[in-house]
Amino acid sequence: MRKIGKVVLFQPENFSATRHYYGVPMQLLAISRILAKEGYEIKIITPVDFENPKEEVLKQAKGAICVGLTVLTGYSIHDSLKVSKMIKKHYPKLPVVWGGWHPSILPIETLVDENIDIVIKGQGERTFAEVVHSLETKKSLKNILGIAYKNKAKEIIENPDRPLESLDNFPPIPYWLLNIEKYILPMEFGERSLTYYTSCGCPHNCIFCVEPIVNKCHWVGLSPQKAADEITKLKNEYNLDSIQIIDSNFFISEDRAIQFSQRLIDNKTNIKWGDVNGRTKQMSNYKESTWKLMKKSGLECVLVGAESGDNKILKFMNKGITVEDTLNFTKICAKFDIKILSSFLVGFPRSNNTQKCFKLVDEEIDSAFKLIDKMFKIYPRIRMMFALYLPYPSSGLFEQSKKIGLDLPDDLEAWSDYLIASEDVFNQKVRQKWVTKIQARKILMASVYIFFFLDPDSFGMVTGKVKNKLFKFFLKFGFNIGKAIACFRWRHRYFSLPIDFYIYNYLRQHLNLFKN
């Protein structure tokens, strides 16, 4: 009988050393699907499951086939490099494999670092399994699609991309590899919620998105029946009352949404589902009967990209929607009482003149704020998310951004602070020379602070697991003060003297309540 090999997988901190990520490590579960079914020993190590995850990964690395890490741009790189260096120091010959959005976008630059041996590009379920098989049997990596790697001479080789493969070809997500109770969290629409995905990729070509770079505007998904059946099984197995679906584009077609919803009803699943990504134009054209069916099946919350309050900007983004589509979508959600998560993106480099860009960014912010006011008047149950545009290499506006003055990182470690996190708001480095520091702080302040308090579901979500009644009372008292200040700021568009934002940001990092 063949000896079963061991694979170690590590989830780094995504935000900072003080603000933890409590979500399910879906990328690590995804690449475990095939290997777990084949009988490999999979050790998934996260800050949620282990008090000292770095010590644990070093302990488990002994005798492993490889160590895999999932890496996003930002602090995740810093944490992943720390672990990779530690592994190479103790086990120099143990292969270190990086996957995730950042190495998928910049595979060659990632491999320049001496502590990384292999990069998985894009969808990793099949690719990672083939890499593990080859490493275990000492075979060459040269014929594996979707990877970049270093050969024995330390030369970097990039293999051809792997086309997206149907998720129906893979075993179910192996949640049992985790101490799953620690990952079941309260959401806006449920007390016991788990993360799940039904598709990969997106067929659209928005100018700001990394999907066209990584997945080449392709989309693959589970059959709606299989997705609904798996959710039903998860609900019964883990006593869930809700499921968070994190697809890049779930509502790819009305027929798929109908079949999925009907299957949940036929299964008598009785579960709420939400945070589901769609497009306002497409969903505004759904029949009323479809919306009724989705609501009946448990749909509670939809994530959409409104992105801008100016149709000219939406056209510039190649978004394929209009402001009117967003308002129509808001009216439909109000009618069926389905919460909206709506993202906005501002700060595009639309002129070679920096001073003119500053003015254009102010106009983008103003038009977005006006649209948000209109949406709130139609329906208050909306969580707004505001972001500052920051281009990635190979994305649509990257070359234009470099001409105007994009401050690019000069090595892998430097990408750790490429994004502006809330922790950096009072000591921020704005890499976009066409955006002022005041504009960047206003955007972050609106998204992280003001829109948090304007969301009517925030308090319940944050305190969902707080059992101490006295502590909860004081939290509510403080929350109401924060809400009053945030509402005043929003009503008067007042973003100066952000002492309250500083206090909120400190509590957000250290109170351990904001589990996202």
Side-chain angles (χ1 to χ4, degrees), residues 299-362:
L299 177 60
E300 286 289 327
C301 179
V302 177
L303 167 63
V304 293
E307 311 303 6
S308 176
D310 187 330
N311 282 330
K312 295 193 299 293
I313 304 298
L314 290 169
K315 186 176 181 180
F316 175 81
M317 293 179 183
N318 197 31
K319 182 66 182 178
I321 66 169
T322 65
V323 170
E324 291 69 32
D325 292 327
T326 296
L327 292 173
N328 288 336
F329 172 80
T330 305
K331 291 173 185 176
I332 293 170
C333 288
K335 181 176 181 178
F336 291 96
D337 193 24
I338 294 172
K339 183 173 181 175
I340 301 171
L341 304 182
S342 183
S343 65
F344 284 80
L345 191 61
V346 298
F348 289 95
R350 293 188 289 137
S351 171
N352 291 325
N353 183 299
T354 305
Q355 293 300 318
K356 186 176 180 181
C357 272
F358 294 158
K359 183 180 178 182
L360 290 172
V361 171
D362 275 336

Side-chain angles (χ1 to χ4, degrees), residues 412-457:
L412 185 58
E413 176 70 47
W415 284 95
S416 297
D417 64 358
Y418 188 62
L419 305 178
I420 300 176
S422 60
E423 286 77 12
D424 309 321
V425 67
F426 294 99
N427 188 29
Q428 63 195 25
K429 179 179 182 180
V430 180
R431 293 184 177 274
Q432 307 93 317
K433 301 305 179 186
W434 58 91
V435 177
T436 68
K437 281 193 173 185
I438 292 174
Q439 288 171 331
R441 190 181 69 191
K442 179 188 287 189
I443 291 163
L444 199 60
M445 187 174 179
S447 185
V448 173
Y449 173 49
I450 292 176
F451 293 144
F452 168 79
F453 283 106
L454 293 183
D455 180 353
D457 299 324

